Amino acid sequence: MEIRKDSIDGIYLDRLAKSKVLMSIFLLFFIILFSRIAYIQIVRGERYLELSQENRLSREMIHPERGLIYDRAGRIIAQNRPSYSLYITPRIIPRQKDLVTQLSDVVTAEGAPLFHKHMLQEHFRNNPPQKDALSFFNKEPSVGNFKKELKNLKTESGTPLFNESFLDSLFAHSAINEYSLQHALRANSLQFVKKRLLKIRNREGEPLVDPDFLHDRIQTAIQNPRGKTLIAEDISIEFVSIIQENSSLLPGITIGTESRREYPYGKDLFHIIGYISEINSEELTQFSDKGYYRGDKIGKAGIEAQYDSLLKGEKGWAFIERNSIGTNLGILEDMPYIKPKAGKNLFLSVDAELQRMIARQFHDTLQGAVVAMNPQNGEIYALYSNPSFDANTFSLAEEEVKQNWNDAQQDPRKPLMNKTITANYSPGSTFKLITALAGLESESITPTEYMEKPCTGGMRFGNRYYRCWYEPGHGHLTVYDAIKQSCNVYFYQLGLMLGDDVINNYAQLASLGVRTGIDIPGERAGYLSGRIQHNLRHAHRGPGWTWTRGLILNLAIGQAQDLTPLQIAMIPTALSGYDSLYTPRILSEIRSPENAYIRSTEKTTSASLDFDSSSVNAVKEGMWRTVNAPGGTGWRSRHDIIPVGGKTGTAQNPHGENHAIYVGAAPIKNPEIVVSVVLANAGSGGSVAAPFAKTVFDYYFSQTSEGRTTLEKFKDRDSEGWTQ
Amino acid sequence: MKQYLLKGKFDLVFFLTSLILWSIGLAQIYSAASIHFFTHQIMWIILGICLILLIVTIPTVFFYKIAQWYYYVTIILLITILFSGESAMGAVRWLSVGNFRLQPSEFGKIGLLLMLSWYLSKRSISFYRLKSMIIPALIIAIPFILVMQQPDLGTALIFLTLPLPLFYWSGMSLVQMFYLISPVISLILSAIPLILSFYADSDTEVSIQASLPWGIFVFLLLISYYFLRPPLKIIIISLVLSITSATMTNVIWNNTLQDYQKTRVVSFINPQADPRGAGYQVIQSMIALGSGQEYGKGYLKGSQVNLQYIPEAHTDFIFSVLGEQFGLAGCTLVLLLYILIIARALYSTRNIRNRFANLLLVGAASMMAFHILINISMVVGMMPVTGLPLPFLSYGGSFTITIAVLVGIAMNARGDIANY
C-alpha cells in the first residue's frame, strides 16, 4: 500500500499558512480563557476568597408561602402564621480553650501579654491545676472578679495555683485590656451553650426548653455536627428577642423562621380542608418528579391534599451568606437566585358559617354527617362529619401533635374519618324516591293510580311476612301518599313490579353505588344491592346467601344498599328536575397570591337526566307532601315561607339504635339547595334528622344572599301548594 | 539508545512537557482525592509512558494500515457498551474486561482520528462537491450517535469538533467551513431571545436587540453569497438549513417543551442561573479558582478542595483545584505548556510530505486543544457542564492512555520526516 505524498514544493507554503490559521484560532480561544481566568482570580479574587472562608456560603432553599383558602363568602379558612424554631450546629461552636491558652490571651492596656505563655506552661507543669480549673469562668468575665477567681484557683494538691503576692504585684503594675479579657475567657464549649440555654426564661419565668429534651437533642446533634438540629420548636417572639440579644454568647444557635398553617374554623372544616404534615418516604418516591424535598409539608387529606400542587407554590434557591457563628447575613448578591413563588389562593364553594352552625348542633358523642349542596351546579355548601378533629393541632410542637394524633386514631368514633364520603349507611326510606322515580319513568305506575293491594301493616311474600312500619296499615295509596307516609307495602309491590335491574339503573344515574367524583380524596363507591352485586359480595358465604326475589323487597325500601351521606344527598339532587346531574365540587375559583382572578372551575356533568317532567313532578309532589301535608313524616323540616320537599328515612341497624336519615330540597319546584342528614344510632329520621335539615334551610334562606333573594320572591306569593 | 533518541522519532520536547504536565496533575490529584486515586494514576502514567515509547518505534505506515480496522473495533465496543455497560454517574460508560474497566468512548476518539486521517489522506473533500462529504459524514455520525446514547455529551462534542480542522487541512476553505457550520450558528443565535425571555418576568418585554445577533448572522450569510458566489446548491442548502434550524428552535421551544424542560435547558446552557444541580458545581469551582488569586493559597491549603466543596475535583474540575492552590501563576504555566505542545505539533507539519502523518499531527493537536478549551470553559462557567476531562491533569485510566497515544502519534508523525 502506497501512502499518498504531497510534493514538498507546492504545498509547503499552504501548510505553513494553514497551521498558522489553526494556531491563531486556538490561541484566540486560549486568550479568551486566560482573560476569564484572570478576571475571576484577580478582579473578583477578593470576593471569592471571602466566599471560600469556611462556613461563609451555603446554598439554601427558600420555602414559598402556601396558598390561602377562602370560603364562598371570602372568609379565610386556612392561613399561615410565622413561627420560630431554634437550631443548633455543634460544629460552629468554638472549642473550649485550656487554662494556659485562656490566660495567655489576656493582654494589658499596652497590648503586651499579661502572662507569658511558656512561663505559664512551665508553672503548670510543676503545679498541675485542678480539673475544673480548666474552665474557671462561668459568668461574664470582668476585670473585678478576674483577680478574685485567679486567687481561688487551686492545684491538684489543694494549694493556691498562683502566689497571692505575685498576683498583687502583677495587678498593681498592669491595667488589663477588658476586651481581650472577655474574648479570652469566654468559654464556648457545647456544655456552656447548653447551660446558658437552660437559664433562659421569659417574663413569666417559663424556661425556653425542657432540660431532658435539650439533653436528648444535643446528643442527636453531636452525631451530625455540621447539620442543624432542632432544639426548640415554635418559640414565642419574646424568646426570639432574648436569643438575638445574646447571640454572641450563644454561638451555633440559629433561629429558623418557617410558616405554620392555621385554620380559623378549626374542627368545623377539618374534613373539607384536611391538613398538612411532613412528607413521608412513600410520598417522596410517588411524587419524585414534583419537586418535593425531605422535610417538606404536604397536604394529607381534603383540599390540602387534592390541590397540593396549586397551594404549595414553587421553592426558591439562594446562596445565603452566614458569619462564623451561623447568623444569616442575607442573600448573596450577584449569585444565582431563584425567587420563591407563593402558592395559589383557593376559593371554595363551602360556607364556613353554615358549616360552623351545623357543627355546633352536634354533640361530641353523636356520629353523623350533613351534606348541603347546590343541585344547579354541584357546588358543595357544607360537608360536615362528626366527630371532627382540630387541624390546628398539626401546627403545635411535635410532641403534642403525636399525642393528639394517637388519641384521635384510637377513638372508636373515628374523628379522622370523613364520614360524608367514606362511611356507608343504608339510605333507608330515602331510597324510596328512586324506586318511585323508576316506577313512574318505566310507566309501571301513574301518579294518580292506586297500588293493587292496600297496606294492612305488612304483606306476605313467599313464606315470609314483610312489615310496614305503621302497624295499623296505610290502606289504598297513590304514589304521592306512599312517599308522604313512607309506606313500605306500596314500595314492596312496586319493587316486585320493577325488579332490581330497573331500580338500580335509575340509582346509578344518581351516582349511587359509584363515586360521585367530588374533589377531595378518599371517596368510596358504596354498594347497590341487586342480583349480581349481592351474589358477588356474598360469594364466599355459601349457598344460603344467594340472591332471592325476596331481597328485592329490601332493596326497594332502601335497606339493602350502602351509601355515603354525599351519595344520599345525590338522591334529591337527581330529582331536582334539572337536565343534568353535576359532579359535586368544592373548589370554585383559583386566584393568584395577590387574589387576582386566574380561573374558576366549570361545572361538570356526571350524567344527563332526561326524565319525564311528569314523573319528576310526581315524586316532588310526594316530597312536598312529606313535609307540608298533614300526616307527612318530614313536617319538622317545614319552612315558613319556602316550600320544602323532603323524605325521611330510618335505616334499620342490627347492631343498635336505628340511623336517622333525611334528604330534602328547597324550594321544591326549582331547588337551590339540597340537604342530606345522616345521624348514626340517633333514632327515627323524621324526629331527629329533619330538624337538623331545617336549620340548614333556615340558614340558607336568611344568611346567604342567594337564599334571601329567593325568600323575597316567595314572600309575595301564596305559599299553599308548590306548583303554582 | 543515544542514536534512537537523537535520530529516531523520539521527541524530547513533547516527552518532557508531557512529564511536567503529568506531574502537575499528580500533585493536584493527591491534594483533591484519596491516595487510592493517586497511586492508580501513577500506574496509568507509567503505562502511558511505555505506550509513548512503544508507539514511537512503530512505522507510521502501520497506523495507516490498521486505521480502519481499529475504527471498526471501537464501533463494535461502543455498540457492546450500550447493551452491557456499567453505569457511572447515571450514564453507561464502562465496559468490564476482567479486572479492567474500559471506557470505549475514549478509544473511539483515537479510532475516529485514525479513520478520518486515513480517509482524508486518500481523498480530498470539498463542501461544494457534496458527494465527497457523504462518507466522512457517516464516519463521524456512527460513533457520534453511539456515544449520544450513553449519553456522553463531552465525547460527542469532541466527535463533532475534531473533523473541522481535519476537513480544513484536507482542502476545505474557511468559507466552506463557514457554510458547513452555518446551521449550528443559526441554531445557537436564534435561541438567545428565547432563553432571555425565559429569564425575564412576564411583564418585561424582551427587546428586539436579543434577536440582533441572529439578524447579523443572516445578513453576513446573504452578503457572502453575493461576494463569494458559492454554487447555487450550497446557497440553497446553507440558507434552508439555517432558517429551518432557527424555526425549529422556536417551534420546539414554544410548543413542545414543558416549563420544567425549559428550566433544564436553560440551566444546562447557563449553569449559574440555577443554584441547584450543575450550577452548584460551577459556582463552587469558580469560588475555588477565584480564591486562588495571583499566587494561590499554597499547596494542600485550598479550603474549597480540602472541604470537598468541588464535586468531581480529581476529574472534570481538576483545573479549579490547580487554580485554588497555585493561583493565576499556576494556571498560566499550565496553559503555556499546553500551547507549547499544540503549537509544536501544528508547526511540525510543514516539513512532512506524508499526507496521513500530516493529518494525524493536526488531529492529535486539535483533539488536545478541544479537550483543554472545552474543559476549562466549563470550569470557569463559560460552557455547559458536559463532563470532559482535562488532558494530563485529570484522573482517569482510559483517558490517560488516550492522551499518551495522542502524544505518541504526534511524535511518530512528526518524526516521519526521518523517512524521507
Side-chain angles (χ1 to χ4, degrees), chain A residues 141-162:
Chain A
S142 72
V143 181
N145 51 23
F146 180 48
K147 189 176 160 191
K148 216 184 292 165
E149 293 264 355
L150 280 180
K151 281 181 184 170
N152 289 340
L153 286 179
K154 301 262 170 29
T155 62
E156 272 180 345
S157 52
T159 54
L161 190 61
F162 293 106

Side-chain angles (χ1 to χ4, degrees), chain B residues 39 60-62 105 134 141 143 156 165-166 169 171 178 247 262-263 269 276 290 375 377 379 408:
Chain B
T39 50
T60 314
V61 71
F62 173 77
S105 54
I134 294 173
L166 294 180
W169 204 263
F178 173 67
T247 321
K262 289 182 189 173
T263 317
I269 290 166
R276 292 166 289 192
N375 177 282
S377 306
V379 168

Side-chain angles (χ1 to χ4, degrees), chain A residues 174-384:
Chain A
S174 41
I176 293 167
N177 177 333
E178 181 142 357
Y179 176 78
S180 81
L181 181 73
Q182 296 216 348
H183 195 76
L185 299 189
R186 189 180 289 141
N188 273 327
S189 76
L190 197 57
Q191 289 312 313
F192 279 89
V193 171
K194 184 176 161 187
K195 269 184 201 164
R196 286 177 193 142
L197 280 174
L198 288 175
K199 270 190 221 153
I200 296 177
R201 269 160 215 284
N202 66 7
R203 243 172 277 128
E204 280 82 48
E206 290 160 11
L208 171 69
V209 277
D210 175 63
D212 294 335
F213 179 69
L214 182 66
H215 183 77
D216 280 356
R217 299 308 299 181
I218 286 181
Q219 290 309 311
T220 323
I222 291 168
Q223 308 294 319
N224 175 21
R226 272 170 184 277
K228 280 177 166 182
T229 308
L230 182 87
I231 50 172
E233 216 179 344
D234 205 7
I235 57 174
S236 70
I237 193 82
E238 192 185 344
F239 280 130
V240 173
S241 59
I242 294 174
I243 286 155
Q244 274 171 346
E245 276 162 27
N246 296 299
S247 65
S248 66
L249 283 174
L250 296 167
I253 301 291
T254 46
I255 299 167
T257 318
E258 57 190 48
S259 83
R260 278 167 194 263
R261 205 67 163 157
E262 212 170 50
Y263 304 101
Y265 282 81
K267 273 185 164 186
D268 306 338
L269 282 162
F270 173 73
H271 291 114
I272 293 176
I273 306 178
Y275 62 98
I276 61 171
S277 175
E278 201 169 303
I279 190 165
N280 59 33
S281 37
E282 256 168 61
E283 289 158 333
L284 265 178
T285 41
Q286 191 185 343
F287 306 122
S288 56
D289 54 339
K290 301 262 173 68
Y292 289 101
Y293 288 79
R294 198 164 286 285
D296 279 1
K297 296 274 168 65
I298 184 174
K300 299 271 185 176
I303 291 293
E304 296 269 31
Q306 181 83 16
Y307 297 110
D308 194 71
S309 52
L310 290 172
L311 288 166
K312 76 182 167 94
E314 281 172 43
K315 293 191 174 62
W317 286 86
F319 282 88
I320 306 272
E321 198 172 1
R322 291 185 181 278
N323 66 13
S324 58
I325 61 168
T327 312
N328 188 335
L329 299 180
I331 293 170
L332 214 58
E333 298 156 45
D334 58 65
M335 276 285 157
Y337 172 51
I338 299 178
K339 239 167 103 177
K341 281 187 199 151
K344 308 270 189 304
N345 290 349
L346 302 184
F347 279 69
L348 308 187
S349 62
V350 171
D351 188 318
E353 284 298 329
L354 172 62
Q355 188 90 7
R356 166 165 286 179
M357 193 273 299
I358 294 168
R360 293 240 165 106
Q361 295 183 60
F362 273 96
H363 292 290
D364 230 16
T365 49
L366 181 60
Q367 293 184 56
V370 176
V371 177
M373 62 185 280
N374 183 348
Q376 295 166 342
N377 52 22
E379 281 186 1
I380 297 281
Y381 290 139
L383 193 78
Y384 181 75

Side-chain angles (χ1 to χ4, degrees), chain B residues 6 30 68 101 113 140 161 190 194 214 294 310-311 323 376 399 403:
Chain B
L6 290 177
Y30 180 79
Q68 51 175 323
R101 292 203 307 171
L113 171 63
I140 300 158
T161 48
S190 67
L194 297 175
W214 191 75
E294 289 91 340
I310 310 170
I376 299 180
F399 183 65
I403 292 301

Side-chain angles (χ1 to χ4, degrees), chain B residues 160-174:
Chain B
L160 283 190
T161 48
L162 174 69
L164 296 177
L166 294 180
F167 285 169
Y168 174 59
W169 204 263
S170 61
M172 247 191 219
S173 67
L174 284 175

Side-chain angles (χ1 to χ4, degrees), chain A residues 1 3-6 8 12 15-16 18 21 34 36 41 45-46 48 52 57 59 317 319 336, chain B residues 64 122 168-169 272 275-276 280 283 286-287 289 293 297 303 328 350 352-354 358 380 420:
Chain A
M1 206 185 298
I3 299 180
R4 179 173 158 184
K5 288 170 189 163
D6 295 315
I8 287 256
Y12 176 82
R15 290 268 169 79
L16 188 60
K18 282 195 169 180
V21 168
F34 177 79
R36 173 78 175 171
Q41 295 192 312
E46 282 290 324
Y48 282 127
S52 75
L57 177 64
R59 184 181 50 151
W317 286 86
F319 282 88
Chain B
Y64 186 81
K122 293 198 300 178
Y168 174 59
W169 204 263
Q272 292 213 62
R276 292 166 289 192
Y280 183 70
I283 284 151
M286 282 170 63
I287 291 174
L289 188 68
Q293 294 182 304
K297 295 177 183 168
S303 59
L328 189 59
R350 68 187 77 175
I352 302 164
R353 285 173 64 205
N354 181 339
N358 248 298
V380 298
Y420 299 92

